[in-house]
Amino acid sequence: AAAAAALQPSQEETPLINYTSPTFELLRIIKGRSDQATKDVSITFDSRFLITVSLDKTACVYDAPSGQESPVLVLLHEDKVCACSVFPENHMFVTGDELGNVSLYNAAAGDSVSALVLRDKVHEAAVECVHVNSMGTYILSGGADSVVCCINAQDLSSAKMLGHTDTVSDVSCSKDLSRAASASYDKTVRVWDLLDQYKPLFVLNQHAESVYGVSHSLDGSLIFSCSGDGHVFVWNSADGRFLRRLEGPDGGPAHDGPVRSCSVSPDGHLLCTTSNDKTVRVWSCVTLKLVATLCGHRAFVLRSCWTRDSSRILTAGSYGDNGVYVWLNPLAV
């Protein structure tokens, strides 16, 4: 809790609110270093370091407890940086850039020279997404080359999963590490068997537009996916069966614009979605109903992540709103 001091409001926090009408308070805005979009955000397991990546070719590391507006590390890449993800039990993190590189860094290194641990070109085009699994044993990445890669974090060997016909926009791994799901501009989600030579299991193909995000429920029974037509779909992860779509306040699509990401809270209770309609929405993973709409962003909201204790949501903004918004989750136990 002490390590997350800078993510807390200056005044006394709002008490736990009735589930039917929670208030997700905006605690802080961390402004980007330039006018370029903040493409992704992640935070280490202990809430010590907050990482952002941007189209200005940098990955920035912020010391969350200090509350400083300036990053403690600025890691320059050779091209635009599109994605980042943290390891579960240390201060290591990975980035993906437009040259096809996946790079491994140590956020606690102290200087940019010693921060870089590894850089490897694993894609033939831009890396659009990276995801470190819950045990930190491997890294999933997806690229504009339509390929999903699985990189072993120990020996750095890699395997490719082929089948998508357009950019792979997001990847997710089930908590039991048995399956991966990938979202693509080809309007599909593909599910892969990570325990049996990365074999494809099934294709989820109900979306009518590009699929931008995918996430597993905590127990692995559900897969959530979101797309360019404002929809968020729910699937049975065991057999790929379509279950339902999430309904917005008026009974229509989940958002009034393309949904750019979806992420499940570490406690498994909530789903966060971000959209071009400039809002963040929070849903119950149990009832699949809308819990709250978070307003404040002035442009597209591209990505989101949660602190390990699920008490904070971090959302990344696009052009004109570049930076990270930090929200209090009043429903965290």
Side-chain angles (χ1 to χ4, degrees):
L7 302 184
Q8 298 176 2
S10 55
Q11 68 274 19
E12 185 178 348
E13 290 185 359
T14 305
L16 192 63
I17 303 171
N18 187 297
Y19 192 82
T20 59
S21 57
T23 299
F24 288 73
E25 181 185 355
L26 177 60
L27 303 180
R28 181 185 175 194
I29 301 175
I30 303 169
K31 295 181 180 179
R33 294 181 63 254
S34 70
D35 60 358
Q36 298 293 301
T38 300
K39 287 284 288 183
D40 204 355
V41 59
S42 196
I43 190 165
T44 55
F45 74 102
D46 56 358
S47 294
R48 173 65 190 278
F49 296 109
L50 185 152
I51 295 98
T52 65
V53 296
S54 171
L55 296 184
D56 67 4
K57 303 182 182 180
T58 66
C60 292
V61 179
Y62 295 85
D63 188 327
S66 72
Q68 294 179 356
E69 291 295 327
S70 299
V72 295
L73 279 176
V74 178
L75 305 168
L76 185 63
H77 291 59
E78 294 178 1
D79 209 328
K80 298 173 183 177
V81 195
C82 301
C84 62
S85 183
V86 297
F87 279 74
E89 299 297 340
N90 55 40
H91 295 133
M92 306 295 288
F93 68 96
V94 293
T95 64
D97 65 35
E98 289 210 347
L99 293 180
N101 297 309
V102 171
S103 302
L104 176 63
Y105 292 96
N106 181 2
D111 64 83
S112 59
V113 175
S114 57
L116 179 63
V117 177
L118 168 76
R119 177 166 290 157
D120 191 17
K121 185 176 176 65
V122 296
H123 290 272
E124 296 303 318
V127 179
E128 294 292 332
C129 53
V130 289
H131 173 80
V132 179
N133 73 349
S134 61
M135 294 295 291
T137 53
Y138 53 77
I139 303 159
L140 293 171
S141 63
D145 56 2
S146 308
V147 174
V148 180
C149 284
C150 183
I151 306 167
N152 186 304
Q154 278 69 49
D155 62 16
L156 304 180
S157 61
S158 63
K160 293 185 177 182
M161 291 169 267
L162 306 177
H164 284 295
T165 59
D166 207 335
T167 296
V168 178
S169 52
D170 200 13
V171 284
S172 176
C173 180
S174 60
K175 189 173 183 181
D176 67 2
L177 313 184
S178 65
R179 294 184 176 186
S182 54
S184 173
Y185 292 178
D186 66 11
K187 306 178 185 179
T188 71
V189 172
R190 290 180 179 264
V191 180
W192 314 85
D193 189 336
L194 297 180
L195 303 181
D196 188 8
Q197 301 179 354
Y198 310 103
K199 290 181 179 178
L201 293 175
F202 30 78
V203 180
L204 316 181
N205 55 11
Q206 294 285 331
H207 282 286
E209 297 292 340
S210 296
V211 187
Y212 292 125
V214 65
S215 187
H216 285 83
S217 63
L218 182 63
D219 64 4
S221 64
L222 301 176
I223 294 174
F224 300 97
S225 60
C226 57
S227 60
D229 54 7
H231 282 300
V232 177
F233 287 172
V234 187
W235 313 81
N236 184 317
S237 66
D239 57 13
R241 179 166 42 93
F242 173 76
L243 298 178
R244 60 172 292 178
R245 65 178 179 88
L246 300 187
E247 295 184 354
D250 58 358
H255 282 271
D256 295 328
V259 187
R260 303 302 296 264
S261 74
C262 54
S263 61
V264 173
S265 61
D267 62 15
H269 296 160
L270 300 172
L271 174 76
C272 175
T273 57
T274 65
S275 174
N276 284 12
D277 67 8
K278 306 178 185 179
T279 69
V280 177
R281 284 188 167 158
V282 180
W283 313 78
S284 167
C285 288
V286 178
T287 66
L288 303 180
K289 299 293 186 182
L290 180 63
V291 173
T293 299
L294 285 54
C295 299
H297 278 281
R298 297 166 309 192
F300 300 167
V301 194
L302 301 180
R303 291 282 184 180
S304 69
C305 73
W306 300 78
T307 54
R308 173 70 70 89
D309 62 2
S310 301
S311 67
R312 306 289 188 268
I313 307 171
L314 287 71
T315 55
S318 183
Y319 296 101
D321 192 30
N322 55 304
V324 174
Y325 286 45
V326 182
W327 310 83
L328 170 69
N329 172 18
L331 304 176
V333 178

